[in-house]
Amino acid sequence: MKLSRRHVLQGLGGAMLGLPVLEGLLPRRAQAAEADALPFAIFLRQADGVAAAQSTSELGNEPERFWPEPLGNLSTTALAGKSLVELADHRARLLVVRNVNMKDYNYGDGHARGALQCLTARGPAVEGAGGDSEASGESLDHRIGRELNPQKRDSLYLYAGQSGGWLGGPCISHRGSTSRRAALHDPWLAYQTMVGGPGGLSPEAREQLLVRQKSLNDLVSGQLKALQSRPELSSTDRQRLDLHLSNVRDLEVALSCRARADEELRLQQQAPGYSSTDGDEVLATVRLHMDIAVLAVACGTTRSVAIQVGNGNDSATRYRDPTTGQLMENFHYISHRRASHDSSGGIIAGSDVLHSRVDAQFAQTFNHLLDRLAAYNLPNGKKLVDQGVSVWFNDLGNGPAHSARHIPFVLAGSCNGYLKQGVAVTAAGGNSSPNLNKMLNTIGAAVGLKNAAGGPLDDFGDPTMPKGLLTEMLA
């Protein structure tokens, strides 16, 4: 009878050994061998555009408060006075890409066009449906999981902010045409999903078991390797020992890829604010989701995580003005520069400055992700953050115009040297040649996705769009 590693693991110890998908996994610790340092992608979506330079007859001139000036090397001077200055400590890892343009598909609403297209590069399943729109294809985060994850399991999709609302809440991740993915909203539930559930043990009991089992595994592993080298063993004996060693290794991985008991307790205590409209609580939830995402990619549980903040137009969240300490108007109003969800309300004085302060808070939150990833060291002396790519992006270029042009993409990490770092570049393409699909191709290729011919991914998204990568991004 063929032995199953999963059955052996389940027979060895119950709850802790029932952690998810242990058989056949690549090593899941950040301390794995360099050859096993597989690239990953973590996506962070912000709604409503950024406070970029623009001019209208009604609003007047708004100066540049987001894009580095000048483009090129990301010096402290280029970032000064911009929201991106919050990422200055990681500027050597950043790749800021301007001139990423969406196709102006007829979604019937700019927010629907942006949110449903941003990771799919696809048009609507039905034109002109506005808030009832659905995308007509798979999103990149899901494809990465489907093709590259161990056992092809789903990638993580995490959501922070009020449930429901415009476009129904979670709206950026898709299995395929008209097939949205359900997001994990509660960070504690997201963590349990990642590690396979609590297993009926308290956090303290799990922590004690982790320490005890890890020390036992070290002893047993050494003894088994010594036994394996004995010349009198038959080939069948060696196969059995190989299986047992694999089981021990998987057990070590499973046990090490849990948060400490105090971290689990923090997840439980802070998680209840995940459905808040208070920007402080929303971004605190995002940081918890980021902590889970980092643990997941460090352990090899997934090669892809998407984190969405707010519903389709983030219409309920009120972020805090750090200069006054007060919550601002809801972010959708701020992005419109008007006290309304359309063009009928009165102009909010200084709303372009308020928008830039929201951008800065997202930059600070993205910085949290990079700090966490950079805290993991690889055997070659590099950081986990450089093994993959973290992507902070928007679904609009700016708020008032709902622009499909100059969609902000800020990337960090080179995917093991595949992508440029420390620069701001202009992507090829323009209004007559949308290139969002090429941006997604480039990210997918960096992580390891292939096209039908086995080459780097270059045909993702709408099949009528020109194929290719954004070569300006390549190292």
Side-chain angles (χ1 to χ4, degrees), residues 74-102:
L74 289 174
S75 65
T76 54
T77 301
L79 297 177
K82 312 297 191 294
S83 302
L84 295 184
V85 75
E86 302 293 341
L87 298 170
D89 289 347
H90 290 284
R91 67 183 185 279
R93 292 190 172 97
L94 299 183
L95 174 59
V96 181
V97 188
R98 187 156 192 181
N99 199 41
V100 176
N101 303 305
M102 293 182 172

Side-chain angles (χ1 to χ4, degrees), residues 351-423:
S351 49
D352 59 327
V353 176
L354 299 180
H355 195 151
S356 73
R357 291 172 183 166
V358 175
D359 295 340
Q361 291 176 58
F362 272 87
Q364 292 164 2
T365 305
F366 189 56
N367 193 76
H368 173 86
L369 172 63
L370 304 186
D371 283 345
R372 288 300 179 115
L373 288 167
Y376 279 77
N377 295 309
L378 298 173
N380 59 9
K382 295 182 180 179
K383 305 287 189 179
L384 181 62
V385 64
D386 301 312
Q387 174 185 315
V389 60
S390 301
V391 185
W392 168 30
F393 68 97
N394 214 293
D395 49 27
L396 295 175
N398 59 27
H402 290 41
S403 177
R405 313 302 172 203
H406 294 300
I407 303 298
F409 271 84
V410 179
L411 294 77
S414 69
C415 272
N416 293 324
Y418 193 91
L419 301 171
K420 286 180 180 176
Q421 293 184 291
V423 294

Side-chain angles (χ1 to χ4, degrees), residues 103 105 121-123 434 437 459-467:
K103 187 171 181 178
Y105 295 109
R122 291 270 189 162
N437 65 316
D459 56 358
F460 184 78
D462 187 334
T464 68
M465 298 287 287
K467 299 179 181 180

Side-chain angles (χ1 to χ4, degrees), residues 214-229 241 244-245 248 252:
K214 284 179 68 176
S215 61
L216 287 173
N217 287 341
D218 290 339
L219 173 63
V220 173
S221 178
Q223 292 174 332
L224 286 171
K225 288 178 181 178
L227 180 61
Q228 193 177 36
S229 65
L241 283 173
H244 196 79
L245 283 169
V248 171
E252 291 172 330

Side-chain angles (χ1 to χ4, degrees), residues 76-364:
T76 54
T77 301
L79 297 177
K82 312 297 191 294
S83 302
L84 295 184
V85 75
E86 302 293 341
L87 298 170
D89 289 347
H90 290 284
R91 67 183 185 279
R93 292 190 172 97
L94 299 183
L95 174 59
V96 181
V97 188
R98 187 156 192 181
N99 199 41
V100 176
N101 303 305
M102 293 182 172
K103 187 171 181 178
D104 196 13
Y105 295 109
N106 179 19
Y107 272 95
D109 172 79
H111 292 286
R113 179 200 63 218
L116 300 175
Q117 183 183 174
C118 61
L119 288 181
T120 66
R122 291 270 189 162
V126 177
E127 290 193 345
D132 295 322
S133 292
E134 296 291 347
S136 63
E138 183 180 24
S139 58
L140 183 66
D141 63 304
H142 183 262
R143 178 161 172 177
I144 293 171
R146 179 172 61 82
E147 294 193 4
L148 301 181
N149 269 357
Q151 294 197 335
K152 315 306 179 188
R153 75 169 70 93
D154 278 353
S155 59
L156 281 177
Y157 178 30
L158 310 173
Y159 179 85
Q162 190 178 48
S163 302
W166 189 249
L167 293 174
C171 56
I172 66 170
S173 187
H174 308 262
R175 297 183 185 279
S177 181
T178 69
S179 180
R180 292 195 204 184
R181 297 181 60 203
L184 293 165
H185 203 170
D186 180 345
W188 176 238
L189 177 60
Y191 171 73
Q192 290 179 304
T193 300
M194 196 276 289
V195 300
L201 297 176
S202 69
E204 294 77 12
R206 286 195 294 274
E207 182 77 4
Q208 293 172 3
L209 182 59
L210 186 153
V211 173
R212 182 170 67 252
Q213 291 281 24
K214 284 179 68 176
S215 61
L216 287 173
N217 287 341
D218 290 339
L219 173 63
V220 173
S221 178
Q223 292 174 332
L224 286 171
K225 288 178 181 178
L227 180 61
Q228 193 177 36
S229 65
R230 297 183 62 168
E232 64 266 31
L233 295 181
S234 67
S235 60
T236 301
D237 288 334
R238 295 184 188 282
Q239 290 175 1
R240 288 172 177 167
L241 283 173
D242 285 340
L243 174 64
H244 196 79
L245 283 169
S246 295
N247 293 333
V248 171
R249 182 173 62 250
D250 279 351
L251 177 59
E252 291 172 330
V253 167
L255 288 169
S256 65
C257 286
R258 297 193 73 106
R260 298 192 311 269
D262 61 320
E263 293 173 334
E264 291 190 348
L265 185 61
R266 181 172 65 91
L267 277 172
Q268 293 180 70
Q269 291 175 336
Q270 294 189 20
Y274 63 81
S275 195
S276 175
T277 60
D278 182 313
D280 292 344
E281 294 182 350
V282 171
L283 293 179
T285 297
V286 175
R287 289 190 291 273
L288 291 176
H289 281 325
M290 288 174 168
D291 294 346
I292 294 164
V294 171
L295 183 63
V297 299
C299 295
T301 302
T302 185
R303 301 269 296 277
S304 174
V305 183
I307 304 173
Q308 178 180 334
V309 185
N311 59 30
N313 58 11
D314 202 1
S315 58
T317 312
R318 300 179 64 196
Y319 297 98
R320 191 172 302 280
D321 183 346
T323 64
T324 66
Q326 302 299 311
L327 293 177
M328 305 180 224
E329 259 295 359
N330 75 73
F331 186 37
H332 192 222
Y333 281 14
I334 296 294
S335 73
H336 272 221
R337 312 292 191 259
R338 295 177 175 277
S340 69
H341 293 300
D342 52 32
S343 59
S344 64
I347 294 175
I348 300 174
S351 49
D352 59 327
V353 176
L354 299 180
H355 195 151
S356 73
R357 291 172 183 166
V358 175
D359 295 340
Q361 291 176 58
F362 272 87
Q364 292 164 2

